[in-house]
Amino acid sequence: MDILELREYINSFKLDNCALGNQGYNRVLLQLFGYLGHGKSSFINSCKYVLQDGEFKTYADAGQSDGGKTTRRITYPLTDTITVVDNRGCATMNSYETGEIFAQLGNLLPLDQEVVWDTGYQSIMHRLVESDIDANYSDFVVPIFVYSVKKGITEEEVPEIKDLLDNARTLTGLDPIVVLTFKTQGDLTGVQAKFRNMGTERIFQLENFTQSDRLRTRARYQEILTFFHGVLKDVEFRMSEKRDPPRERAERKKFILEFAHEREMKREREQKEQAMAAQQAKRDRAERDRAERERVERDRQRAREQELEREANKSWYSRLFS
Ligand SMILES: Nc1nc2c(ncn2[C@@H]2O[C@H](COP(=O)(O)OP(=O)(O)O)[C@@H](O)[C@H]2O)c(=O)[nH]1
Ligand SMILES: [Mg+2]
């Protein structure tokens, strides 16, 4: 397909036109996730630039800090059917934060609202229950993992990323699609190989359009349009199976609650182990102190006895010569 045909296909894509109709879905929601500074916001700006074909504008704040624990999932409509979400609050991905990321990915938290997210199980459960009030069953969620080639991947980082991708797959029922940014600024083939080894099948690579680099070239257009084409073909394929949006949402919710619960149990276990280790250390210290006191006491006793003995000898000696 040439550029115009690709764009036409993407812009006119409707879930109604899928083999079994829309099955209750009316929107394709591209859920961007990934580490801070890897080009998520820039990718949104690039998509807008290419699909809407106007001036280059910064819609999503590229280069802005994601700031603390406040989570705001901002939506950017791209076409009548496709909307992209910039998921925030993923500066680091330790296992206590990923619960939040999964709740975002599973589309269980409200969009376009400030949400302050605590890490405890109870608070996650409460938020999920509250989000049922106006539950969203009509978004077909597509997970998109954005990663910068420039940052590279070390062997130590592989397990964490793999875990994240695996969970995102379980959660959404879709293989996360990997978008590699900064494609000319590092070891592209090396990074691609790492993702392939992690089981990723769909990898796209591009150089984002930015304020200082917004020259439209056919190749750069093609990259982004090819990405959307690939995404929509996957959606069409998944939509050719019988689907059940409320059931799927319930499954996502179960996954997240189980994840959060397990994490809480793990944390409790760790805290208990720490407390036990601290108690043991205290007992050991007390035992050492007691042994030390006894030793000092024994030494003192021995010194006293030696002193008495010397006294006795001395008095015997002095008696003899006095
Ligand atoms: N050269 C180049 N710069 C990029 C690319 N993607 C993002 N940037 C720059 O990298 C910085 C971080 O990008 P940003 O989109 O804010 O990352 P986010 O934290 O994932 O949203 C910004 O200064 C962008 O202009 C890219 O593909 N190529
Ligand atoms: Mg950003």
Side-chain angles (χ1 to χ4, degrees):
M1 271 199 252
D2 71 13
I3 283 188
L4 288 179
E5 283 169 333
L6 273 174
R7 205 159 63 199
E8 178 53 25
Y9 168 77
I10 295 160
N11 278 323
S12 61
F13 184 89
K14 292 227 168 348
L15 287 163
D16 299 343
N17 299 341
C18 289
L20 303 175
N22 69 34
Q23 302 195 63
Y25 288 107
N26 62 22
R27 182 161 75 163
V28 174
L29 198 69
L30 304 186
Q31 291 261 48
L32 299 193
F33 67 116
Y35 301 91
L36 190 63
H38 280 246
K40 291 186 300 297
S41 301
S42 304
F43 183 60
I44 293 174
N45 294 329
S46 301
C47 293
K48 288 275 236 188
Y49 190 45
V50 169
L51 290 178
Q52 297 175 354
D53 206 26
E55 285 291 294
F56 182 84
K57 280 204 214 123
T58 46
Y59 298 89
D61 281 345
Q64 291 283 305
S65 144
D66 281 3
K69 280 256 161 279
T70 304
T71 304
R72 187 151 170 225
R73 301 171 59 224
I74 307 175
T75 55
Y76 302 88
L78 295 175
T79 72
D80 290 345
T81 303
I82 310 168
T83 288
V84 60
V85 186
D86 200 359
N87 282 306
R88 319 209 108 202
C90 333
T92 60
M93 294 205 190
N94 64 57
S95 59
Y96 297 134
E97 261 189 83
T98 41
E100 169 188 332
I101 286 161
F102 296 142
Q104 294 180 1
L105 272 180
N107 202 27
L108 294 169
L109 295 177
L111 290 157
D112 300 305
Q113 276 182 32
E114 290 290 341
V115 173
V116 179
W117 188 269
D118 300 318
T119 50
Y121 172 70
Q122 231 187 16
S123 108
I124 291 179
M125 191 182 63
H126 287 175
R127 287 235 39 92
L128 290 187
V129 169
E130 265 167 46
S131 76
D132 286 346
I133 295 169
D134 43 1
N136 175 327
Y137 301 113
S138 57
D139 284 336
F140 190 97
V141 171
V142 181
I144 314 279
F145 186 65
V146 177
Y147 201 87
S148 157
V149 172
K150 195 176 171 183
K151 309 252 180 186
I153 302 181
T154 63
E155 277 309 319
E156 295 79 66
E157 286 166 330
V158 167
E160 185 184 84
I161 296 175
K162 184 172 182 332
D163 205 39
L164 190 65
L165 294 175
D166 286 346
N167 282 325
R169 180 183 298 118
T170 311
L171 189 57
T172 60
L174 246 82
D175 264 332
I177 295 168
V178 170
V179 170
L180 300 178
T181 57
F182 290 86
K183 76 162 185 182
T184 62
Q185 300 195 32
D187 176 16
L188 176 61
T189 40
V191 173
Q192 281 171 331
K194 288 246 167 63
F195 276 103
R196 238 175 259 120
N197 285 340
M198 287 185 244
T200 307
E201 283 172 25
R202 290 234 184 277
I203 305 173
F204 294 89
Q205 47 282 317
L206 59 110
E207 199 65 46
N208 273 319
F209 289 100
T210 59
Q211 196 56 257
S212 58
D213 175 19
R214 55 197 146 129
L215 185 70
R216 286 195 166 101
T217 65
R218 243 173 63 79
R220 280 175 97 180
Y221 256 57
Q222 194 96 32
E223 278 168 342
I224 290 189
L225 294 173
T226 306
F227 161 80
F228 279 99
H229 183 255
V231 166
L232 294 178
K233 283 290 168 198
D234 279 356
V235 172
E236 267 180 20
F237 180 76
R238 298 287 300 180
M239 288 290 289
S240 66
E241 300 161 7
K242 191 105 197 63
R243 310 205 70 88
D244 183 352
R247 174 89 250 142
E248 284 168 35
R249 187 182 188 276
E251 291 299 327
R252 293 202 289 275
K253 192 164 146 181
K254 269 197 274 189
F255 173 89
I256 291 161
L257 287 175
E258 268 162 33
F259 180 90
H261 185 243
E262 255 170 50
R263 194 184 54 181
E264 185 96 335
M265 303 283 276
K266 184 162 169 258
R267 185 153 53 175
E268 268 172 25
R269 235 182 359 255
E270 282 167 3
Q271 276 168 356
K272 212 177 278 168
E273 275 163 18
Q274 268 166 15
M276 267 159 63
Q279 254 173 17
Q280 187 58 44
K282 205 168 140 192
R283 274 200 298 272
D284 289 350
R285 218 167 27 245
E287 177 57 28
R288 261 200 315 278
D289 289 352
R290 199 182 55 75
E292 176 63 12
R293 271 198 307 278
E294 276 178 13
R295 194 184 61 74
V296 168
E297 187 48 40
R298 258 199 318 276
D299 286 354
R300 210 178 280 142
Q301 183 67 27
R302 201 171 304 129
R304 259 201 307 274
E305 282 164 12
Q306 282 167 354
E307 180 62 22
L308 284 174
E309 219 168 291
R310 260 200 308 279
E311 280 297 319
N313 289 342
K314 197 164 109 201
S315 50
W316 171 82
Y317 186 83
S318 49
R319 265 204 310 277
L320 199 61
F321 292 99
S322 59

